[in-house]
Amino acid sequence: MKKILIASLVALGALSVTGCAVTSGQSTVGQYVDDATIGTRVKARFAEDAQVSAMRIQVETLNGTVQLAGFATSQAEKDRAGQLARAVPDVKEVRNNIIVKPAEK
């Protein structure tokens, strides 16, 4: 199941790169592609990790800065997501805006 999710995330990342128009804040098409690649790699690492939910955490990348948003069920999950994002090649900075919200029982 994880392999299917990872393949889906990679395919989604590839689709977002095709027909890429440079967005606000990105100086070149190459930078846009680099940012899309970084975002896809971060999401793939989340999908591979047992502690982090790739479905609850959103990843946005601009000029090598990764912004994480969404919800984690614990501080440990939030911290792990930040660690995984920092470990991705070409990431310059991580802004971890994930909100810790324990799962409702």
Side-chain angles (χ1 to χ4, degrees), residues 30-74:
Q31 183 63 50
Y32 178 85
V33 171
D34 291 347
D35 286 342
T37 300
I38 290 169
T40 300
R41 287 179 179 163
V42 171
K43 287 296 267 188
R45 293 214 180 170
F46 289 176
E48 293 169 348
D49 192 87
Q51 189 177 355
V52 176
S53 171
M55 303 306 286
R56 289 191 314 266
I57 300 173
Q58 295 81 45
V59 178
E60 295 290 332
T61 308
L62 182 63
N63 298 325
T65 297
V66 174
Q67 180 171 312
L68 305 176
F71 297 95
T73 57
S74 67

Side-chain angles (χ1 to χ4, degrees), residues 3-95:
K3 289 184 180 185
I4 293 171
L5 180 59
I6 292 168
S8 298
L9 288 171
V10 170
L12 182 62
L15 284 175
S16 69
V17 171
T18 59
C20 53
V22 177
T23 60
S24 177
Q26 291 160 322
S27 56
T28 66
V29 172
Q31 183 63 50
Y32 178 85
V33 171
D34 291 347
D35 286 342
T37 300
I38 290 169
T40 300
R41 287 179 179 163
V42 171
K43 287 296 267 188
R45 293 214 180 170
F46 289 176
E48 293 169 348
D49 192 87
Q51 189 177 355
V52 176
S53 171
M55 303 306 286
R56 289 191 314 266
I57 300 173
Q58 295 81 45
V59 178
E60 295 290 332
T61 308
L62 182 63
N63 298 325
T65 297
V66 174
Q67 180 171 312
L68 305 176
F71 297 95
T73 57
S74 67
Q75 185 64 43
E77 182 182 8
K78 176 182 177 175
D79 294 343
R80 179 71 177 149
Q83 291 171 347
L84 290 170
R86 279 184 206 87
V88 170
D90 301 319
V91 170
K92 297 175 183 171
E93 179 183 353
V94 174
R95 295 183 184 163

